[in-house]
């Protein structure tokens, strides 16, 4: 496969649409991002990166961090994470509250906000510092020792995070939070605010594409755990559009409201896109088009 040619074809298809969608504005700091940017990167399991566009511009990782929080929690065998969060698509927005009330404070899956808050709460209990655990992982896999939380984004999330606060307190009322709620939320907001580039994101995704192996060859996840993460990405990774993405793209994907998307071709490569404009469900408009084109051109869709 000529990956650089695939990247070129994706860029040509997306170019006329750069700027499409609306930047997230419910987190004020994200509303300041210039929507006329786009990057696309493929990292193959042998560590090569093929990329074009704005691949070295940092953006907020947001919900894509939920994949790595789960990856850090799953290896702890004594963790009862699956008593605290289920493995079903929600069919609702990522910050919905009603289903959580009806279902006794047990979130549908780890990739919507309530499920991710529970996962970060668990990581905090397991490690004493969820953000530090994630920072260490992201730095090691990207090789960037300066990769860091953007404190302005984190402060913006904290200031406007009343809905996430409502979600976390609702779960606490059902006994599904182990740390003080505000402490767990502080870690969640900062985890979402890690500043990462498209090329870096593709490299971190290789942990999943390599069935759990880290860049140094050590094992983070058992193969079974990786399979579970991939299954959850495919069924829940793009919120209430997961069915449509399975249909249009045919790959496991996780998106974030910073405009990033991460797709995995198991055993072959990790693909990252970044375009800040979102569709009404919160997925990157240009990212969706890029991944659809990638799947068509490469023939690597798994469905
Ligand atoms: N930090 C964002 C929030 O909590 C993450 C949501 C997302 O990327 N879908 O709302």
């Amino acid at each position: 496969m000529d990956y650089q040619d695939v990247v070129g074809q994706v860029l040509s298809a997306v170019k006329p649409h750069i700027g499409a969608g609306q930047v997230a504005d419910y987190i004020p700091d994200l509303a300041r991002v210039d929507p006329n940017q786009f990057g696309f990167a493929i990292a193959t399991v042998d560590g090569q990166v093929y990329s074009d566009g704005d691949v070295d511009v940092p953006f907020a990782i947001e919900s894509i961090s939920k994949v790595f929080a789960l990856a850090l929690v799953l290896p702890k065998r004594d963790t009862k994470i699956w008593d605290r969060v289920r493995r079903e698509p929600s069919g609702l927005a990522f910050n919905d509250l009603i289903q959580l009330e009806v279902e006794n404070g047990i979130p549908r899956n780890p990739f919507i906000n309530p499920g991710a808050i529970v996962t970060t709460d668990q990581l905090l209990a397991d490690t004493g510092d969820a953000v530090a655990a994630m920072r260490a992982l992201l730095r090691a896999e990207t090789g960037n020792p300066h990769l860091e939380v953007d404190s302005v984004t984190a402060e913006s999330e904290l200031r406007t995070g009343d809905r996430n606060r409502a979600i976390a307190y609702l779960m606490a009322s059902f006994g599904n939070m182990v740390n003080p709620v505000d402490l767990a939320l502080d870690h969640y907001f900062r985890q979402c605010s890690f500043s990462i580039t498209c090329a870096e994101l593709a490299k971190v995704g290789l942990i999943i594409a390599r069935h759990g192996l880290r860049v140094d060859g050590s094992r983070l996840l058992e193969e079974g755990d990786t399979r579970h993460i991939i299954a959850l990405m495919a069924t829940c990774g793009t919120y209430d559009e997961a069915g449509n993405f399975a249909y249009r793209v045919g790959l496991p994907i996780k998106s974030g409201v910073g405009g990033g998307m991460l797709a995995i071709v198991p055993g072959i490569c990790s693909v990252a896109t970044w375009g800040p404009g979102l569709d009404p469900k919160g997925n990157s408009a240009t990212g969706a088009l890029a991944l659809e084109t990638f799947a068509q051109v490469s023939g690597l869709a798994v469905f």
Side-chain angles (χ1 to χ4, degrees):
M1 173 99 57
D2 183 343
Y3 285 103
Q4 199 59 50
D5 180 61
V6 172
V7 170
Q9 292 195 54
V10 169
L11 260 288
S12 307
V14 172
K15 218 159 234 166
H17 303 277
I18 290 177
Q22 297 289 322
V23 292
D25 56 6
Y26 75 102
I27 300 170
D29 190 54
L30 299 182
R32 278 199 284 275
V33 177
D34 174 5
N36 295 307
Q37 303 183 81
F38 176 76
F40 187 79
I42 302 172
T44 49
V45 288
D46 59 1
Q48 293 293 315
V49 178
Y50 307 86
S51 66
D52 201 356
D54 299 309
V55 285
D56 296 318
V57 181
F59 59 91
I61 191 168
E62 296 298 339
S63 280
I64 305 168
S65 66
K66 296 170 181 175
V67 173
F68 306 122
L70 183 63
L72 287 164
V73 162
L74 283 183
K76 272 216 154 235
R77 289 292 158 212
D78 51 349
T79 287
K80 300 229 171 358
I81 189 70
W82 299 124
D83 293 342
R84 303 186 59 192
V85 56
R86 296 171 58 204
R87 301 180 294 249
E88 290 295 340
S90 69
L92 291 165
F94 56 79
N95 54 7
D96 177 78
L97 270 157
I98 293 172
Q99 191 174 57
L100 193 61
E101 163 72 357
V102 172
E103 300 187 352
N104 302 320
I106 306 292
R108 277 288 175 105
N109 67 71
F111 293 161
I112 51 174
N113 288 13
I117 292 169
V118 158
T119 308
T120 299
D121 183 49
Q122 188 65 52
L123 184 60
L124 180 57
D126 289 349
T127 63
D129 191 338
V131 168
M134 175 111 26
R135 182 189 289 114
L137 183 77
L138 297 179
R139 285 186 177 181
E141 300 310 303
T142 58
N144 175 3
H146 306 295
L147 196 147
E148 194 43 281
V149 171
D150 183 319
S151 56
V152 177
T153 308
E155 198 277 326
S156 188
E157 299 227 10
L158 182 69
R159 195 161 29 84
T160 58
D162 285 338
R163 205 173 171 87
N164 285 322
R165 230 165 259 125
I167 285 171
Y169 277 103
L170 182 58
M171 294 193 294
S173 78
F174 285 103
N176 198 12
M177 291 293 287
V178 294
N179 295 284
V181 169
D182 286 330
L183 179 65
L185 281 170
D186 174 57
H187 280 262
Y188 171 76
F189 290 135
R190 287 191 288 139
Q191 161 197 316
C192 290
S193 305
F194 270 106
S195 197
I196 195 163
T197 70
C198 200
E200 289 170 342
L201 184 60
K203 288 191 205 170
V204 186
L206 283 177
I207 299 175
I208 314 294
R210 289 186 183 123
H211 303 294
L213 289 183
R214 300 184 59 164
V215 66
D216 65 2
S218 66
R219 182 165 284 287
L220 176 68
L221 293 158
E222 295 304 320
E223 289 209 18
D225 286 338
T226 315
R227 196 166 55 76
H228 293 151
I229 291 175
I230 290 170
L232 288 165
M233 289 175 78
T235 52
C236 313
T238 45
Y239 321 114
D240 42 341
E241 264 196 311
N244 198 28
F245 272 97
Y247 182 93
R248 278 179 67 187
V249 179
L251 287 170
I253 300 170
K254 185 73 202 85
S255 62
V257 292
M261 291 185 113
L262 175 68
I264 303 296
V265 186
I268 297 178
C269 63
S270 155
V271 182
T273 76
W274 175 55
L278 308 179
D279 69 16
K281 301 288 173 84
N283 297 303
S284 168
T286 45
L289 180 60
L291 292 177
E292 193 174 15
T293 309
F294 167 78
Q296 277 164 9
V297 171
S298 69
L300 289 173
V302 297
F303 301 131

